[in-house]
Amino acid sequence: MTAHTSKDPLHGVTLEMQVNALVARYGWSELGERIKINCFRKDPSVKSSLKFLRRTPWARAEVEALYLDSLDDNGFAEPDEPAFNPWATSRIARN
């Protein structure tokens, strides 16, 4: 039996994991500038942010969108060509 794989990039990622990753990447002040909500600006904490985000769908959507954008910025996508190509300087002529 094969395991079910989801196409959703947020599958298995909790809201707490998202907030912690964003805080680690941007810090509270930068996060408050990117998403203008008071739980990131005034006396921020993960606990208070989670409480607000769970009750406010539009704010949660903003956090999820920023989290997905930060995944793209990290360069998780594979590059088209490797940085080092040992065959590029080969003495064998290509047709």
Side-chain angles (χ1 to χ4, degrees):
M1 182 168 209
T2 61
H4 180 272
T5 57
S6 176
K7 293 181 181 179
D8 181 16
L10 294 176
H11 181 75
V13 179
T14 64
L15 185 60
E16 183 176 6
M17 292 166 67
Q18 293 173 33
V19 170
N20 285 330
L22 291 173
V23 170
R25 180 176 174 100
Y26 300 113
W28 288 111
S29 61
E30 177 69 21
L31 192 55
E33 289 298 315
R34 289 179 178 261
I35 303 174
K36 296 182 181 346
I37 52 178
N38 283 337
C39 70
F40 294 154
R41 292 176 163 207
K42 297 186 181 185
D43 195 28
S45 72
V46 173
K47 184 177 178 180
S48 67
S49 298
L50 290 175
K51 184 176 180 181
F52 176 76
L53 293 171
R54 286 181 179 133
R55 292 182 292 138
T56 316
W58 65 265
R60 182 179 183 141
E62 296 249 345
V63 168
E64 289 174 350
L66 181 61
Y67 177 76
L68 290 174
D69 286 344
S70 71
L71 289 180
D72 293 340
D73 292 344
N74 281 341
F76 285 123
E78 291 294 319
D80 291 336
E81 292 185 21
F84 174 71
N85 184 356
W87 306 112
T89 58
S90 174
R91 288 186 258 159
I92 300 172
R94 294 186 187 173
N95 294 340

